[in-house]
Amino acid sequence: MIQWEQTMEIKILRRQGKSLRRIAHEVGMAVNTVRKYLQHEGRPFYKKRKTVETKLDPYKPYLQERVKQARPFCLPATVLLREIRDQGYRGGVTQLRLYLNSLTPVVCEEVVRFETEPGAQMQMDWIEFRKGKNPLSAFVATLGYSRVSYVCFVENEKLSTLLQCHEDAFDYFGGIPSQALYDNMKTVILARDAYGLGKHRFNSGML
């Protein structure tokens, strides 16, 4: 944006009979810029920017609903990133974090770590490192009481692989917990809210 003094200078030079090219040279602007300011009586002239759709836009309704359901707690961006990537999102986490910040203007309460009794619960999830011809993932199982973890690297996230990882984890820990908690694993949960809010469609092989 040019200053009011520059606008007046352009108008005065024009009244003195100077050409647009000469005015542009004296004020250090492009000829077209000088012409536009003269046509619009010195008021700034801007073209409306075209709205460019981002990679995240198709997933914003889903994110809004997930954030709304979680309040007053905050869902980690990494968890939501995994969920929308399962739906086809190919963008980065930075864009996601910026959008989530715009949805949570107030300070959220910290998520309190859930303590369990010994042998009561084991939490499991996939960590994806690489896709393509040579995929690489890790199965991670963590005991709720001691926070001891078992990690196994695998080439796929199929149900048969998941079941084998369960058995290996049980052998490693020396027992079977009373409860298994899955962090939205796509091998376990085939479709979120398939039968209504909070009623997911599970892989029948896990039932």
Side-chain angles (χ1 to χ4, degrees), residues 79-98:
V79 171
L80 294 174
L81 177 65
R82 181 166 57 249
E83 292 180 9
I84 59 178
R85 277 186 172 169
D86 288 342
Q87 299 175 30
Y89 176 64
R90 291 296 176 266
V93 69
T94 301
Q95 184 178 174
L96 174 60
R97 290 187 193 278
L98 291 173

Side-chain angles (χ1 to χ4, degrees), residues 12-62:
I12 292 172
L13 292 174
R14 186 59 171 170
R15 288 174 182 173
Q16 292 175 353
K18 294 186 178 181
S19 66
L20 296 181
R21 186 178 299 277
R22 182 61 184 176
I23 295 173
H25 176 74
E26 291 191 20
V27 299
M29 296 180 185
V31 174
N32 287 338
T33 302
V34 172
R35 181 182 293 110
K36 288 176 182 178
Y37 273 85
L38 288 172
Q39 290 175 348
H40 293 268
E41 299 181 353
R43 293 192 298 272
F45 178 83
Y46 301 104
K47 288 184 178 180
K48 186 177 180 180
R49 290 186 177 181
K50 294 182 179 179
T51 302
V52 179
E53 185 177 273
T54 67
K55 294 179 180 179
L56 189 63
D57 284 350
Y59 309 95
K60 287 181 177 179
Y62 173 81

Side-chain angles (χ1 to χ4, degrees), residues 188-206:
V188 178
I189 301 178
L190 300 181
R192 292 185 59 84
D193 304 322
Y195 309 110
L197 188 62
K199 299 178 180 179
H200 314 311
R201 181 160 64 90
F202 293 93
N203 191 325
S204 59
M206 295 294 297

Side-chain angles (χ1 to χ4, degrees), residues 114 116 119-124 142 144 170 176-182:
F114 185 67
T116 65
Q121 187 183 89
M122 183 170 73
Q123 302 162 8
M124 287 163 281
T142 304
F170 297 153
I176 301 175
S178 302
Q179 185 182 54
L181 181 65
Y182 302 96

